[in-house]
């Protein structure tokens, strides 16, 4: 079991080595070990005084000044001071023939001093510090304080000595009336809010919480952040403005805890001072087990007290820090440090710090096999290590150089003015020192331009780090991206492309932080009443509308020639459809029209050929010819409804239908009236006989047709038929049809035809029982009955259908009514002419006997 655990841990660390190789630059970042003796990575404030001497530094100078074991929490600051002063003293062009040294400010760093457990050592250490401070009190040397401005400046605020604050930039310290002798080496966080919001947008975190210190700097940051959030449609789940007063905070602490623990926001921005009530809040939330992603600045590099190591990139803390240049000589200084000159036991120091060097895995992966959780310190101690300064450490490094350049300029001015004092490098005029300090512009050894009078960068560059947890509390700070404010907006945020490769080809499980689930394509957002705009419900797009992206506010309607797919994510081209000859229904109706037309022509030919037989002559052959010709055109006009509609065919459809049907019905009416007049007037007078002989009833045909022509002309003049597209009748199809234009005019045409048909039916019905073998009034009555039945049924059926079916109904009605007239009026006569010709002969013989 023990071997299995060892193998498992070795495997995880081996994978971790590949991750680090792909994600970090040549050197990794150190972190303080999180153990019981060291309260996390808390740092207390320290103060240093820099001064110059013409004599070289004594070998045991710092052993006298710092006669104690340097605790881990302040270790970085002392290392920077040792390194920076040593580097300057070796520079022949900066403070030549002078030694730059430092001492501690009495009353600061005391809470981190670990004195030797003897009264003599304690008294000696305190006496040395007091003696040097008494020596410096009469001089005007520059003080370095930080990283918390409230605690580090409270002991020196009344002093008129120039000061350089190496903590994070604070706008309060820019007030020259309140802090005339305080200078800041850190740069102003002008674009910090933009950088953080860019990260939110990249990972689509739109529902975030904010925990801000209730001070001027925090309120200013909150104002800018809210403005940027509103611009990019990011909502705040809660805003905890933590009061600075501890009593007020404790009264509200449970409220803040409840908001953090119950909020659905997975991402929280923290902004404010360390060693404050805000840090107390954070420690409480950590203790309560808040599973959040903390987005903050580099001073909040926090390792959560987790014992389980996870290769999850997104847990714990994500920090933003100004991009600082690497100091390549720092590693060499640590490796060659003279332990007799500095109060540092490097072998013991290694055990106080957890470090990690990625380069060792590039050539010797097999060494990981010897790593176990029990020999962490032993294994680490066998390898080289690299240290990268924190932001405060880098600021302190620049502050030392700012002081060195100030002293250098003061000495040059003394030389130029020939006012060399007895002891060179002892400055008395604090006003002069402060004036020179705040105007210093220099290039530090890393190559960065430092301007003490202007600490607001127009082009800010931030590095983005993720704090990883490691077995036994070893934390690692991994760079995951950068932000460049001066780049185009689409290129400002750059996230490491190696993230995917480092996790074995799979994307990291990035948590979501949204108030509402993303509305997928095909849905649209419906905002909730009295809620943030990030909180919404998702609703399916209306019919024939689509949304092809997530979280669409509105769906887009498809054009008329397209329709939405089933998921309503995109539009599909509609198929153009119409009653065509190529489809079975169109072909059937076309064939029927042609067959009936041919049949009507055959009947006409038969009647013309047998025009002298009684059955033809007895029923006014001229009217029969007109009726047959009208029926031929009635059948043929139905062909105008089949095929691709055109403007001409749309107009001719209704005109030909109305006119030829009017001719047919008016002919039937004329035939009926002629029969009635012939048989009802048993003793006709001379005048009536003349009317019948002149064919006056035949005038009904042109008169009725002329009236229909007027109606159709008015229709065409006011609202003529036109080509229309029907996209509602059939899904996925656009049906090309002829729109009637004016529905009223269409009903006028039908109404006029119905009135003629009803008139013909009434007259024929009255004359149905008149004597004579060849009386056709019965057939005319039945034909009008069929005609009226067809067109009365047509209206409700026509208006209940859509698309091509409407066209089919109209064509079928035309063919059915025309066939009804043809069949009822002429089929019986054709039967007599062709099947029973003897009936015609007997009638002809009787007629000869009568005359």
């Amino acid at each position: 079991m023990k071997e299995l655990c060892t193998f498992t841990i070795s495997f995880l660390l081996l994978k971790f080595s590949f991750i680090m190789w792909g994600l970090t630059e040549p050197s990794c970042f150190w972190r303080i070990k999180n153990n019981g003796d060291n309260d996390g990575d808390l740092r207390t404030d320290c103060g240093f005084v820099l001064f110059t001497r013409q004599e070289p530094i004594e070998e045991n100078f710092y052993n006298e000044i710092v006669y104690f074991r340097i605790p881990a929490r302040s270790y970085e600051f002392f290392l920077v001071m040792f390194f920076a002063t040593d580097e300057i003293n070796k520079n022949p062009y900066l403070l030549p023939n002078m030694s730059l040294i430092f001492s501690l400010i009495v009353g600061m760093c005391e809470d981190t001093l670990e004195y030797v457990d003897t009264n003599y050592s304690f008294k000696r250490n305190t006496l040395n510090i007091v003696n040097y401070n008494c020596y410096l009190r009469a001089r005007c040397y520059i003080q370095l304080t930080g990283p918390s401005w409230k605690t580090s400046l409270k002991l020196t605020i009344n002093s008129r000595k120039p000061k350089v604050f190496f903590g994070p930039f604070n706008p309060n310290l820019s007030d020259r009336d309140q802090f005339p002798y305080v200078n800041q080496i850190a740069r102003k966080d002008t674009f910090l809010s933009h950088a953080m919001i860019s990260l939110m947008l990249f990972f689509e975190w739109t529902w975030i919480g904010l925990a801000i210190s209730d001070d001027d700097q925090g309120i200013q940051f909150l104002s800018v952040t809210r403005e940027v959030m509103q611009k990019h449609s990011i909502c705040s789940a809660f805003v905890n403005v933590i009061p600075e007063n501890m009593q007020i905070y404790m009264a509200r602490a449970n409220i803040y805890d409840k908001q953090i623990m119950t909020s659905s926001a997975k991402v929280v921005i923290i902004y404010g001072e360390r060693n404050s009530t805000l840090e107390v809040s954070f420690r409480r939330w950590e203790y309560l087990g808040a599973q959040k992603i903390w987005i903050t600045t580099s001073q909040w590099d926090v390792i959560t007290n987790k014992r389980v190591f996870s290769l999850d990139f997104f847990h714990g803390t994500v920090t933003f820090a100004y991009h600082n240049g690497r100091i390549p000589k720092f590693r060499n200084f640590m490796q060659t440090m003279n332990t007799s000159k500095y109060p540092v036991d490097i072998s013991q120091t290694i055990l106080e710090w957890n470090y990690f060097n990625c380069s060792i895995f590039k050539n010797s992966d097999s060494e990981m096999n010897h790593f176990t959780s029990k020999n962490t310190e032993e294994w680490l101690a066998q390898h080289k290590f690299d240290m990268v300064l924190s932001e405060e450490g880098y600021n302190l490094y620049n502050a030392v150089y700012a002081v060195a350049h100030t002293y250098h300029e003061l000495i040059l001015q003394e030389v130029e003015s020939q006012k060399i004092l007895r002891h060179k490098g002892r400055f008395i005029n604090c006003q002069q020192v402060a004036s020179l300090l705040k105007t210093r512009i220099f290039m530090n050894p890393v190559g960065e331009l430092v301007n003490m009078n202007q600490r607001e960068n127009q082009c800010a560059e931030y590095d983005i780090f993720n704090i990883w947890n490691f077995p036994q509390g070893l934390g690692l700070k991994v760079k995951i991206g950068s932000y460049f404010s001066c780049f185009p907006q689409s290129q400002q945020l750059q996230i490491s492309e190696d993230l995917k490769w480092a996790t074995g080809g799979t994307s990291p499980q990035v948590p979501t932080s949204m108030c509402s689930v993303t509305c997928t394509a095909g849905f649209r957002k419906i905002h909730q009443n009295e809620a943030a705009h990030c909180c919404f419900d998702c609703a399916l797009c209306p019919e024939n509308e689509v949304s092809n992206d997530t979280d669409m506010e509105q769906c887009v309607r498809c054009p008329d020639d397209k329709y939405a797919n089933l998921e309503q994510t995109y539009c599909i081209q509609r198929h153009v459809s119409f009653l065509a000859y190529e489809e079975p229904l169109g072909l059937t109706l076309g064939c029927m029209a042609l067959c009936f037309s041919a049949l009507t022509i055959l009947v006409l030919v038969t009647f013309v050929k047998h025009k002298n037989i009684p059955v033809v002559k007895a029923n006014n052959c001229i009217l029969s010819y007109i009726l047959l010709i009208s029926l031929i055109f009635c059948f043929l006009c139905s062909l105008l409804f089949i095929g691709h509609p055109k403007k001409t065919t749309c107009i001719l459809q209704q005109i030909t239908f109305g006119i030829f049907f009017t001719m047919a019905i008016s002919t039937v009416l004329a035939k009926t009236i002629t029969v009635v007049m012939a048989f009802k007037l048993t003793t006709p007078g001379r005048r009536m006989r003349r009317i019948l002989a002149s064919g006056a009833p035949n005038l009904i045909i042109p008169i009725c047709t002329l009236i229909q022509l007027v109606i159709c002309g008015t229709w065409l003049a006011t609202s003529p038929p036109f080509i229309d597209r029907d996209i509602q009748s059939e899904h996925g199809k656009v049906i090309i049809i002829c729109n009637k234009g004016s529905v009223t005019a269409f009903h006028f045409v039908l109404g006029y035809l119905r009135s003629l048909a009803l008139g013909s039916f009434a007259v024929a019905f009255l004359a149905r029982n008149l004597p004579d073998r060849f009386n056709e009034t019965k057939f005319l009555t039945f034909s009008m009955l069929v005609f009226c039945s067809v067109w009365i049924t047509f209206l409700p059926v026509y208006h209940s259908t859509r698309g091509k079916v409407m066209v089919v109904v109209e064509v079928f009605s035309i063919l059915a009514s025309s066939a009804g007239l043809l069949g009822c009026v002429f089929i019986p006569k054709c039967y007599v002419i062709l099947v029973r010709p003897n009936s015609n002969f007997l009638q002809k013989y009787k007629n000869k006997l009568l005359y």
Side-chain angles (χ1 to χ4, degrees):
M1 189 66 182
K2 181 177 180 181
E3 289 77 6
L4 180 61
C5 294
T6 304
F7 174 76
T8 303
I9 295 174
S10 302
F11 177 77
L12 286 174
L13 288 172
L14 181 60
K15 182 174 182 180
F16 187 80
S17 68
F18 285 110
I19 294 174
M20 293 306 307
W21 182 29
L23 288 180
T24 61
E25 299 176 357
S27 60
C28 296
F29 296 78
W30 49 260
R31 297 285 300 150
I32 300 174
K33 185 177 181 180
N34 194 6
N35 54 37
D37 299 330
N38 188 354
D39 186 16
D41 52 359
L42 288 172
R43 289 178 182 170
T44 52
D45 298 295
C46 285
F48 307 95
V49 181
L50 283 167
F51 59 97
T52 57
R53 291 174 53 177
Q54 290 182 293
E55 301 84 7
I57 302 176
E58 295 87 351
E59 189 71 20
N60 63 340
F61 176 80
Y62 287 115
N63 288 290
E64 293 288 337
I65 294 297
V66 189
Y67 195 75
F68 52 85
R69 176 175 172 269
I70 301 174
R73 288 173 291 184
S74 300
Y75 184 76
E76 181 189 10
F77 299 146
F78 283 91
L79 280 180
V80 171
M81 295 301 296
F82 293 148
F83 169 69
T85 53
D86 181 76
E87 190 178 41
I88 292 171
N89 291 333
K90 292 178 180 179
N91 188 346
Y93 303 103
L94 185 61
L95 294 175
N97 302 320
M98 300 290 293
S99 296
L100 183 67
I101 54 180
F102 73 89
S103 178
L104 298 176
I105 298 177
V106 175
M108 302 191 69
C109 297
E110 290 185 359
D111 58 337
T112 63
L113 301 186
E114 299 180 9
Y115 297 102
V116 178
D117 191 17
T118 63
N119 293 331
Y120 170 77
S121 299
F122 176 80
K123 292 178 181 179
R124 182 181 179 186
N125 174 63
T126 306
L127 182 63
N128 286 331
I129 296 177
V130 171
N131 287 339
Y132 273 103
N133 278 277
C134 291
Y135 165 78
L136 299 173
R137 191 171 299 166
R139 306 289 183 262
C140 192
Y141 292 119
I142 301 173
Q143 301 173 351
L144 308 181
T145 61
S148 175
W149 74 280
K150 291 181 181 178
T151 54
S152 65
L153 292 176
K154 67 180 180 181
L155 297 177
T156 60
I157 192 64
N158 296 322
S159 172
R160 298 177 63 86
K161 300 291 180 68
K163 304 171 188 63
V164 178
F165 176 67
F166 60 84
F169 184 89
N170 192 299
N172 295 316
L173 300 181
S174 299
D175 187 354
R176 288 296 178 185
D177 295 332
Q178 187 177 1
F179 304 101
Y181 293 100
V182 178
N183 297 273
Q184 299 190 79
I185 195 68
R187 289 161 288 189
K188 186 176 181 180
D189 292 327
T190 309
F191 299 95
L192 180 61
S193 296
H194 297 80
M196 288 182 173
I197 298 304
S198 295
L199 186 70
M200 310 289 176
L201 295 174
F202 181 85
F203 292 114
E204 299 180 353
W205 294 331
T206 58
W207 186 240
I208 63 174
L210 294 99
I212 309 295
S213 293
D214 189 10
D215 53 28
D216 294 340
Q217 187 175 6
I219 298 303
Q220 181 180 359
F221 173 82
L222 178 61
S223 176
V224 175
T225 303
R226 275 178 164 169
E227 182 180 347
V228 180
M229 287 170 58
Q230 186 176 7
K231 179 181 178 182
H232 295 285
S233 299
I234 296 177
C235 302
S236 56
F238 60 86
V239 178
N240 285 346
V241 181
I242 308 298
E244 295 180 285
N245 184 280
M246 181 59 73
Q247 292 182 346
I248 299 176
Y249 164 72
M250 292 306 298
R252 304 175 183 173
N254 290 332
I255 299 176
Y256 302 141
D257 296 344
K258 184 178 180 180
Q259 284 182 322
I260 285 285
M261 299 305 296
T262 60
S263 175
S264 59
K266 302 295 180 59
V267 179
V268 179
I269 293 178
I270 295 180
Y271 187 83
E273 288 281 334
R274 295 288 303 273
N275 301 333
S276 64
T277 52
L278 180 60
E279 183 170 358
V280 175
S281 294
F282 181 84
R283 295 298 179 184
R284 285 173 60 94
W285 301 333
E286 182 184 9
Y287 175 77
L288 293 173
Q291 299 294 321
K292 306 292 181 183
I293 300 174
W294 311 103
I295 309 295
T296 184
T297 55
S298 61
Q299 60 176 316
W300 285 83
D301 293 344
V302 176
I303 306 173
T304 55
N305 294 320
K306 295 179 181 179
R307 293 296 180 182
V308 180
F309 176 59
S310 171
L311 291 179
D312 180 10
F313 279 79
F314 296 97
H315 74 281
T317 308
V318 176
T319 63
F320 285 76
Y322 270 108
H323 177 74
N324 297 322
R326 295 187 180 276
I327 307 175
K329 294 182 180 179
F330 189 46
R331 175 181 175 180
N332 183 62
F333 174 77
M334 292 294 300
Q335 291 175 334
T336 60
M337 181 181 294
N338 186 352
T339 55
S340 63
K341 182 177 180 180
Y342 299 107
V344 176
D345 185 351
I346 196 65
S347 60
Q348 181 66 26
T349 301
I350 291 176
L351 298 180
E352 291 292 332
W353 291 87
N354 290 328
Y355 58 87
F356 203 92
N357 185 3
C358 306
S359 60
I360 63 174
F361 297 113
K362 296 179 181 178
N363 299 319
S364 57
D365 294 337
S366 60
E367 297 184 22
M368 288 299 297
N369 296 328
H370 305 290
F371 180 86
T372 65
S373 59
K374 295 182 178 180
N375 65 352
T376 305
E377 294 178 350
E378 178 183 350
W379 182 85
L380 291 173
Q382 295 175 0
H383 298 86
K384 298 178 181 179
F385 66 94
D386 229 353
M387 301 180 71
V388 178
L389 297 180
S390 66
E391 192 166 357
E392 291 87 353
Y394 188 77
N395 290 339
L396 181 59
Y397 177 75
N398 281 334
V400 174
Y401 267 89
V403 173
H405 281 277
T406 302
Y407 290 167
H408 185 85
E409 182 64 25
L410 285 169
I411 294 173
L412 288 179
Q413 289 183 5
E414 290 179 354
V415 172
E416 291 176 358
S417 61
Q418 296 182 350
K419 294 181 180 180
I420 299 296
L421 298 177
R422 179 180 177 183
H423 298 287
K424 185 173 68 170
R426 296 182 182 180
F427 314 113
I428 301 175
N429 190 344
C430 287
Q431 189 67 36
Q432 181 187 15
V433 176
S435 176
L436 282 175
L437 175 62
K438 70 180 181 181
T439 58
R440 287 304 86 206
I441 301 175
F442 62 92
M443 189 76 71
N444 68 4
V446 179
E448 178 190 349
L449 182 66
V450 180
N451 186 347
M452 294 295 294
N453 195 35
Q454 180 64 40
R455 298 308 293 157
E456 181 175 350
N457 285 353
Q458 298 300 321
C459 291
E461 180 180 351
Y462 291 94
D463 291 333
I464 306 172
F465 301 99
N466 187 210
I467 310 302
W468 287 17
N469 196 26
F470 203 72
Q472 300 296 322
L474 184 145
L476 199 63
K477 183 176 177 181
V478 182
K479 181 177 178 180
I480 62 173
S482 302
Y483 177 84
F484 305 89
S485 64
C486 287
F487 281 19
Q489 187 171 358
S490 60
Q491 303 174 11
Q492 288 178 343
L493 183 69
Q494 298 181 5
I495 300 298
S496 175
E497 295 293 337
D498 295 327
L499 280 176
K500 193 171 184 179
W501 173 87
T503 52
T506 59
S507 299
Q509 296 297 320
V510 183
T512 59
S513 186
M514 297 181 291
C515 179
S516 300
V517 179
T518 300
C519 291
T520 58
F523 291 80
R524 62 186 176 93
K525 297 194 295 186
I526 298 179
H527 292 280
Q528 302 173 1
N529 294 331
E530 300 180 358
H533 66 272
C534 296
C535 302
F536 49 82
D537 298 320
C538 298
L540 189 65
C541 288
E543 185 180 358
N544 207 38
E545 293 187 11
V546 298
S547 62
N548 58 2
D549 203 354
T550 57
D551 289 339
M552 294 287 288
E553 294 286 347
Q554 296 292 336
C555 299
V556 180
R557 188 170 186 82
C558 291
D560 289 345
D561 59 342
K562 295 182 179 180
Y563 68 100
N565 65 331
L566 292 178
E567 292 78 15
Q568 294 186 262
T569 56
Y570 58 90
C571 296
I572 304 175
Q573 188 71 38
R574 292 180 182 272
H575 296 289
V576 177
S577 179
F578 50 87
L579 186 60
Y581 291 106
E582 289 77 10
E583 58 184 81
L585 191 57
L587 181 61
T588 301
L589 293 175
C591 292
M592 288 175 63
L594 293 176
C595 290
F596 280 125
S597 299
L599 181 60
T600 307
I601 293 173
L602 290 177
V603 174
L604 178 60
V605 170
T606 302
F607 269 58
V608 172
K609 184 177 179 180
H610 301 87
K611 61 182 177 179
N612 294 322
I613 63 175
V615 72
V616 177
K617 293 178 64 176
N619 293 287
N620 199 332
C621 61
I622 299 300
L623 293 178
S624 296
Y625 297 158
I626 295 173
L627 179 57
L628 287 169
I629 293 172
S630 300
L631 288 176
I632 293 172
F633 284 105
C634 286
F635 285 123
L636 293 176
C637 78
S638 63
L639 297 177
L640 296 173
F641 293 84
I642 307 173
H644 194 293
K646 299 178 182 178
K647 185 176 181 180
T648 305
T649 57
C650 286
I651 294 175
L652 290 177
Q653 281 178 7
Q654 309 305 327
I655 300 303
T656 55
F657 159 72
I659 291 175
F660 289 119
F661 263 84
T662 300
M663 288 179 62
I665 301 302
S666 60
T667 302
V668 172
L669 180 60
K671 288 172 71 69
T672 308
I673 292 175
T674 301
V675 172
V676 171
M677 289 179 67
F679 285 93
K680 286 293 182 181
L681 299 175
T682 55
T683 57
R686 191 174 180 182
R687 183 179 178 183
M688 184 62 68
R689 188 184 295 274
R690 192 182 303 116
I691 292 173
L692 289 173
S694 63
N698 297 344
L699 294 176
I700 295 174
I701 299 173
I703 293 173
C704 293
T705 305
L706 182 62
I707 295 173
Q708 187 70 286
L709 281 172
V710 172
I711 296 173
C712 292
T714 306
W715 183 3
L716 295 178
T718 55
S719 182
F722 58 89
I723 300 175
D724 197 7
R725 294 172 178 265
D726 179 13
I727 60 175
Q728 305 295 332
S729 300
E730 297 185 38
H731 180 71
K733 292 184 179 180
V734 53
I735 302 175
I736 311 299
I737 58 174
C738 288
N739 192 298
K740 300 295 188 294
S742 174
V743 179
T744 303
F746 176 66
H747 285 94
F748 261 107
V749 171
L750 290 181
Y752 181 68
L753 287 175
R754 284 197 298 268
S755 63
L756 288 179
L758 289 174
S760 301
F761 175 75
V763 176
F765 182 78
L766 293 175
R768 69 187 185 283
N769 294 322
L770 292 176
D772 189 46
R773 184 180 184 86
F774 301 111
N775 182 12
E776 62 178 351
T777 52
K778 292 181 180 180
F779 304 124
L780 294 176
T781 302
F782 192 68
S783 67
M784 288 300 98
L785 183 61
V786 173
F787 183 88
C788 292
S789 300
V790 170
W791 288 104
I792 288 173
T793 308
F794 163 78
L795 283 178
V797 175
Y798 181 80
H799 289 292
S800 64
T801 56
R802 306 179 70 178
K804 291 192 295 183
V805 181
M806 295 179 66
V807 182
V808 172
V809 169
E810 190 169 359
V811 173
F812 183 79
S813 299
I814 292 172
L815 295 178
S817 57
S818 301
L821 287 176
L822 178 64
C824 294
V825 176
F826 294 101
I827 295 301
K829 296 179 181 180
C830 290
Y831 175 77
V832 173
I833 295 172
L834 300 176
V835 179
R836 298 183 62 186
N838 295 331
S839 299
N840 286 306
F841 174 77
L842 292 173
Q843 184 63 31
K844 183 176 180 181
Y845 179 75
K846 290 179 181 180
N847 290 336
K848 287 184 178 181
L849 292 177
L850 290 174
Y851 292 102

